[in-house]
Amino acid sequence: MLRIPILEDLIGLLTRYKNRSMLPYDFNVFPHPSPTFFKITGRISRMRFLRTASAIVTGILLGGLSVTQSQCPDFTTYSASPQGNPSNGTLGLPFMRPAPACRTFNSSAVETVINDMKSRLKDPDIARLFENTFPNTLDTTVKYYNQSENLAFIITGDITAQWLRDTANQFAHYRSLLSMDSELATLVKAVINNEARYITQYPYCGAFQPPPESGLPPSLNGYATDVIVNPPVDNQTVFECKYEIDSLCGFLKLSTSYYNETKDDSFMNDNWFSAIDQIFQVINNQSQGSWDENFNFISYYNWTGSAGSLSPAVNNGGNGEPKAYTGMVGTHHRPSDDLSTFAFLTPANAMLSVELTNLALILDEAGQGTSISQSAKEWSSRINESIWANTLVDNIFAYETNGYGGRYVMDDANVPSLLSLPYLGFLEKDNPSYVATRQLLLSRENPYYAAGQNFSGIGGPHIDAWNPWPMSQISAIFGTDDDEEIMQSLYLIVNNTDGLGLIHESVSIYNQSDFTRTWFAWANSYFAEMLLDLAERKPSLIFTDPVSYAPGR
């Protein structure tokens, strides 16, 4: 694509300020604005900016040198091969951000953090990875956003659907920027509002089609075709209705992080409270055992592939394995979208306990939802107590249990995972039970741990047992203060992008060029979030100057 600096500058400004009532006096907002920009615009008033800039863009386009959204490459294709200039590091990682005119959302606060981190990071390859991954969600996944409608649709990357879980994690590393960038905060509020609509209508579903206001067509998901779901769903709204309790936790996480950073409770509208009511209905229903006192089988949700479906049939009429009451909340699928073996997924319940506490805290501070806050506190405590009472044997957490004594000792890379318990806020890194469980998980005793010459980590059945996920090594870094362990995990990730400068879903232990998904926004965000954690917690490991850094401080 022909690069036109003046056009990139103008479209970037127009995109950035199109929803602002006030425009900056200082147009020097680009890291490297083109000289032509200043020659053409000069010193013009804010009131004249949009008219002048639009006229210049129109003139360039009419002159035949056009860079439009329709001409922007699909990022799935774009991310599959090296693009911009290589880094100065030994790996020579490429610059993988789309051109400014092709980015789906612009944030000056994000650009500031990128520049701050690049100036501090001592390894040019890590600096390039941060430069590529930190803005990836905003650069590539804001498929639809309308501020006046308070709606935003965020895709997960190479799949045109919005996962509740993925979206919460895709925005987690921007949390501290919400108080500094009002436009970014408004975008997140629109995401929350759109997800509240989804949950209100379909609380058991985790992935959704674009909102009708967007004009975007729904996508055909072959794995949802011929799948029988109860309660029934409309595939024009729902992309996939796998019930994963962590998806609802993701919505709570996004809501509470937004409030804690902005202190804006305007998102707590009727739409949001309706979603919260549905979440508590799911919690109540899915905490029950499978049998009532008269041996009637209790089912509030079931899911199974029918004959000819790409998705599998599920036993017991789509209900899966029976469960007995424990105080935890059952789930049908894992965070990886795979079927659960046993219903009580320990890390998902740990996340639920944490997020219910966080929900109660923001409701109390905002002076809203007193009864909801009380229920959240009660459920958080009940779930927490049940985890410690029912999932721990010989100081080792089980990944899944069923309330009948059945336990599955393993871990999956997808968060929430057992390895990520400190990241979730459920316990401290030095908790003896976590330390013992972590040691088991990162060994042959975990059936989904695999190690090769170039890469190792935890995977899961979503791909296969010999394709561990870089995400697991990120969780491992969040779960330790040991410098050697941190650096070993960090460079396992850095050295395994196959020269593409983005974080993949999984990597084969037999061939590092055999990987899945070149464009996986959640993994990119999680990596950038981890680097920001190290920047504050362990700056000497990654910075030339060992001084802690946190955005906005």
Side-chain angles (χ1 to χ4, degrees), residues 151 192-202 211-213 271 275:
L151 293 174
I192 293 169
N193 190 55
N194 188 37
E195 291 191 343
R197 294 201 319 186
Y198 290 144
I199 293 169
T200 296
Q201 191 171 8
Y202 297 111
E213 292 88 346
N271 190 37

Side-chain angles (χ1 to χ4, degrees), residues 228-248:
I228 300 170
V229 182
N230 284 302
V233 301
D234 179 359
N235 286 337
Q236 297 296 299
T237 301
V238 174
F239 182 81
E240 187 170 76
C241 195
K242 294 177 177 178
Y243 162 54
E244 305 139 343
I245 190 63
D246 67 283
S247 291
L248 299 178

